[in-house]
Amino acid sequence: MVQQVTPETTIEVIYPESDGQPMADNTEQFAWIVKIKENLEILFASLADVFIAGDLFWYPVEGNPNIKQAPDTMVVFGRPKGKRSSYLQWNEDNIPPQVVFEILSPGNTLKEMTKKLQFYQRYAVEEYYIYDPDKNDLNGLLRSEDSFEVIEEMNGWVSPRLGIRFTLTPNTLEIVSSTGQKFLSPGEIDQLREQERQRAERERQEKEAALQELEAASQEKEAALQELEKERDRYQELLAKLKQKGIDTDNL
């Protein structure tokens, strides 16, 4: 009797794209997530190999869907832009996000934030920033070999990877790019866009008015030349008539 060996069945590992939880607990937290994520998108729009995502599951270990985090914002240098349902690190040249942001809300617990810190430290995040908009408190950690070191002074700190400067005013956090561009909310960006549109429209109208003035001046000049030509013709006609009557016009 020959014993048949059945091949092992390969079990497909499912990496969930959502945990069913909301992206943010309140409007303030959501507004900050959007502001940081979208302004980073604008900042690195011209670089094809910088991937930026908000609230996207990051799976660092193939075969283990339980090891995951969804940073409020993450930045990955060395990976192309594009759509992703999750960030599967082994499919991304094994490049982890180098920079992550977390925006705190009243619902965040110390246990939750400690687990996130341990995760980011273990899986090679280089820069980790935590902002509490309710308290206007910013904290940062920078990788040193295999662990994080606290950035002692965040006010005026410039991110080594992103080149952005953090400034804490009495009421809020301001973030400015290396080119001096301030991070703005979508509403503020729209206001600037409208101001720029209005400025461009004013310039167009001013140029149009200037061209109309030039055209009017040109027409006036042309009319004056035509009138002068008519006067010259009338003068020549008068001289011709005088000569016909025998009058010496050269001695007039």
Side-chain angles (χ1 to χ4, degrees), residues 56-246:
L56 184 74
F57 269 142
W58 162 27
Y59 292 93
V61 180
E62 185 175 10
N64 194 335
N66 295 318
I67 301 177
K68 64 182 183 298
Q69 277 296 340
D72 287 336
T73 299
M74 66 181 186
V75 184
V76 191
F77 290 87
R79 296 307 301 153
K81 302 182 190 303
K83 295 181 180 179
R84 289 168 175 80
S85 56
S86 58
Y87 190 81
L88 307 177
Q89 187 172 314
W90 55 93
N91 289 337
E92 305 283 355
D93 287 345
N94 206 35
I95 298 177
Q98 292 94 350
V99 185
V100 298
F101 290 82
E102 294 288 352
I103 308 299
L104 298 184
S105 71
N108 291 124
T109 64
L110 178 60
K111 179 180 179 181
E112 174 191 2
M113 298 311 297
T114 300
K115 288 178 66 176
K116 288 186 177 183
L117 188 152
Q118 292 173 338
F119 181 96
Y120 297 144
Q121 181 172 265
R122 180 174 182 179
Y123 294 106
V125 168
E126 296 176 12
E127 301 176 41
Y128 176 28
Y129 300 105
I130 311 106
Y131 180 57
D132 185 342
D134 289 335
K135 297 179 181 179
N136 189 28
D137 182 49
L138 176 67
N139 289 280
L141 298 108
L142 191 65
R143 175 163 295 278
S144 176
E145 296 182 352
D146 294 330
S147 63
F148 279 140
E149 288 188 359
V150 174
I151 301 169
E152 295 297 338
E153 181 55 69
M154 282 304 303
N155 192 19
W157 172 260
V158 177
S159 161
R161 272 285 189 175
L162 306 177
I164 58 177
R165 181 183 298 275
F166 301 94
T167 301
L168 285 164
T169 71
N171 299 315
T172 190
L173 169 66
E174 291 184 353
I175 305 175
V176 180
S177 72
S178 59
T179 60
Q181 183 64 47
K182 182 179 176 182
F183 278 30
L184 302 173
S185 68
E188 291 170 330
I189 291 173
D190 187 64
Q191 288 178 358
L192 283 181
R193 185 183 296 113
E194 177 61 20
Q195 291 173 6
E196 178 60 23
R197 187 197 66 78
Q198 292 178 0
R199 184 195 63 78
E201 177 62 19
R202 285 196 301 271
E203 285 188 357
R204 186 193 67 78
Q205 292 177 352
E206 289 171 359
K207 288 180 180 178
E208 187 175 292
L211 287 173
Q212 289 176 349
E213 289 180 2
L214 286 173
E215 185 177 351
S218 177
Q219 290 174 349
E220 290 178 2
K221 182 179 179 180
E222 182 64 25
L225 289 173
Q226 290 177 355
E227 184 62 31
L228 182 61
E229 183 67 19
K230 290 179 181 179
E231 287 294 332
R232 189 186 68 80
D233 291 343
R234 285 195 290 269
Y235 177 71
Q236 292 297 329
E237 289 177 3
L238 177 60
L239 289 179
K241 289 179 180 179
L242 290 174
K243 286 182 178 180
Q244 288 175 358
K245 293 182 178 182

Side-chain angles (χ1 to χ4, degrees), residues 15-27:
Y15 302 93
E17 299 172 11
S18 172
D19 58 3
Q21 299 298 314
M23 179 177 176
D25 292 339
N26 55 53
T27 56

